[in-house]
Amino acid sequence: MKRNYGLILVTVLLLTACGSKKGGNESFVRPVKTAIVESRSEIRKDFSGIVEAVEYVKLAFRVSGQIINLPVIEGQRVKKGELIAAIDPRDIALQYAADKAAYETAAAQVERNKRLLGKQAISVQEYEISLANYQKAKSAFELSSNNMRDTRLTAPFEGSIEKRLVENFQRVNSGEGIVQLVNTRNLRIKFTIPDAYLPLLRAKEQHFKVEFDTYKGHIFNAKLEEFLDISTDGTGIPVTITIDDPDFDKALFEVKPGFTCSIRFSADVGPYVEEAMTVVPLSAVFGESNGKQTYVWVLNGNKVNRREVKVYSPTGEAQVFISEGLNPGEKVIIAGVHQLVEGETVKELK
């Protein structure tokens, strides 16, 4: 009997302990951190870009020959009209002299025939033949003159020698590249955005800020130059911007083609959405395993209610735009959203 009494006593104590633990859970109020739903229609996006030259060209001779002067090296700055290279002009000079003599002879013959025709000493046909010979000689002389000038290759604009493609004393053909010249004074930045962000480029209010990886901490304003409204190869929309900032000193910030940079793009998309959007921290949004529905916990008094929302787009600042489901001024839970249950009583942390 004593043993039975002992078992009964232990059972009673265990039941009492379980009852106390259950009661403690029911009285627990979970503290939560909240944020107020804001109304905003400005989207911010971060992209990576690369610097390109607006003007760049592969310079080549129009005539063939052996290079006898190649004074430039890679990276060298040249002014407009400065000599890039020269080829041996001797063969071309001989042809030039012959064509010049033939041209002068033909010109003199035309003048003589003109006088003779006036005296009816020659026929009209003879005069026309001399005139045709003159035109032929003139064309040959002009071609030789151009060839003589083309033995010297000069810079068509101020820039830098990006690459030297031949060596001195090398024989080159007409049209063969000699150097790659780029205009480092006039640069642009190219990057790609997803197709879904095309409305951002058509927004009324646009702002671009650029930070070059080589010059961290220096941020410059830029402006939109152009973009394609279609994705040609399925990789996104190509966009081109140019630096538009008086603080961008090209002598101090030696940005060159090929430099990489970060681009912060912001745009007001209010006119392009049917309803005013709201913005909440990214941590407030959660979804189910199927990924089809998105929710937030809304604080009503001291209880939480799950509400389905439609996410428009991340803002680029650990926030998201909500196009449907929330109203400005409401409070949402921004921490521990996966631990809450519908209708749970909570305590808002101040």
Side-chain angles (χ1 to χ4, degrees):
M1 290 295 292
K2 289 182 179 181
R3 181 177 296 178
N4 291 338
Y5 282 126
L7 290 173
I8 294 173
L9 180 60
V10 171
T11 302
V12 172
L13 290 174
L14 288 173
L15 290 173
T16 304
C18 292
S20 299
K21 184 177 181 180
K22 183 177 180 180
N25 284 340
E26 289 178 348
S27 61
F28 173 73
V29 178
R30 188 186 305 278
V32 294
K33 189 175 181 180
T34 62
I36 297 177
V37 178
E38 299 178 0
S39 176
R40 202 170 80 186
S41 59
E42 183 183 18
I43 289 183
R44 292 185 176 92
K45 294 291 180 183
D46 292 328
F47 300 99
S48 296
I50 187 167
V51 178
E52 291 187 354
V54 175
E55 291 180 293
Y56 59 94
V57 63
K58 184 182 291 184
L59 299 181
F61 287 105
R62 293 182 178 179
V63 293
S64 302
Q66 183 183 24
I67 297 176
I68 58 172
N69 191 7
L70 188 61
V72 296
I73 60 175
E74 292 183 359
Q76 178 181 336
R77 291 198 59 82
V78 295
K79 296 180 180 179
K80 182 178 180 180
E82 186 173 341
L83 179 67
I84 301 296
I87 63 175
D88 190 344
R90 288 179 296 178
D91 294 341
I92 297 176
L94 291 174
Q95 185 65 47
Y96 169 79
D99 290 337
K100 182 180 179 182
Y103 166 69
E104 292 174 347
T105 300
Q109 185 65 47
V110 167
E111 290 299 323
R112 285 193 298 269
N113 287 351
K114 184 184 296 186
R115 291 193 298 269
L116 293 173
L117 182 62
K119 298 177 182 180
Q120 296 184 348
I122 63 172
S123 65
V124 174
Q125 183 179 7
E126 288 177 302
Y127 173 74
E128 290 178 346
I129 291 174
S130 65
L131 187 61
N133 291 334
Y134 165 76
Q135 293 293 344
K136 183 178 179 180
K138 181 182 178 182
S139 297
F141 175 61
E142 289 177 348
L143 178 60
S144 294
S145 299
N146 291 335
N147 289 342
M148 280 296 296
R149 285 192 296 268
D150 291 339
T151 59
R152 291 173 57 85
L153 188 64
T154 58
F157 52 81
E158 181 180 354
S160 294
I161 304 298
E162 184 181 47
K163 191 173 183 180
R164 201 171 77 167
L165 305 173
V166 297
E167 297 299 329
N168 201 10
F169 306 113
Q170 179 178 335
R171 183 171 181 82
V172 296
N173 296 319
S174 61
E176 182 178 349
I178 306 301
V179 297
Q180 179 84 17
L181 178 67
V182 297
N183 185 349
T184 55
R185 294 290 183 181
N186 193 5
L187 302 173
R188 60 189 174 193
I189 299 168
K190 301 199 76 171
F191 63 100
T192 303
I193 68 170
D195 297 1
Y197 298 156
L198 181 59
L200 302 183
L201 298 174
R202 295 172 176 163
K204 185 178 180 181
E205 293 291 335
Q206 297 177 352
H207 301 282
F208 296 88
K209 293 187 179 296
V210 177
E211 181 182 20
F212 296 100
D213 295 346
T214 309
Y215 299 104
K216 288 290 187 181
H218 298 276
I219 300 175
F220 305 102
N221 295 321
K223 64 179 181 180
L224 179 66
E225 183 178 81
E226 62 180 1
F227 67 91
L228 295 178
D229 57 1
I230 59 173
S231 177
T232 56
D233 54 4
T235 59
I237 303 296
V239 182
T240 302
I241 61 175
T242 55
I243 300 293
D244 182 27
D245 196 320
D247 294 332
F248 182 60
D249 187 347
K250 295 180 180 178
L252 181 61
F253 303 99
E254 296 184 5
V255 177
K256 299 180 180 180
F259 278 26
T260 55
C261 60
S262 300
I263 301 164
R264 167 60 58 88
F265 172 45
S266 61
D268 183 3
V269 296
Y272 298 95
V273 294
E274 296 180 357
E275 299 179 5
M277 289 187 296
T278 56
V279 62
V280 298
L282 183 61
S283 59
V285 180
F286 63 97
E288 295 183 347
S289 57
N290 58 17
K292 295 182 179 180
Q293 287 81 31
T294 308
Y295 303 93
V296 297
W297 291 108
V298 179
L299 183 64
N300 293 316
N302 62 346
K303 295 184 180 297
V304 293
N305 299 112
R306 190 179 72 168
R307 186 183 300 174
E308 184 175 354
V309 294
K310 185 176 181 181
V311 176
Y312 178 79
S313 172
T315 68
E317 297 180 328
Q319 295 179 313
V320 291
F321 283 112
I322 305 297
S323 58
E324 296 179 10
L326 289 176
N327 298 313
E330 291 185 303
K331 291 183 179 180
V332 293
I333 311 302
I334 61 173
V337 294
H338 297 287
Q339 300 174 353
L340 298 171
V341 296
E342 177 67 27
E344 182 177 352
T345 301
V346 296
K347 178 181 179 181
E348 182 181 4
L349 295 176
K350 301 298 184 180

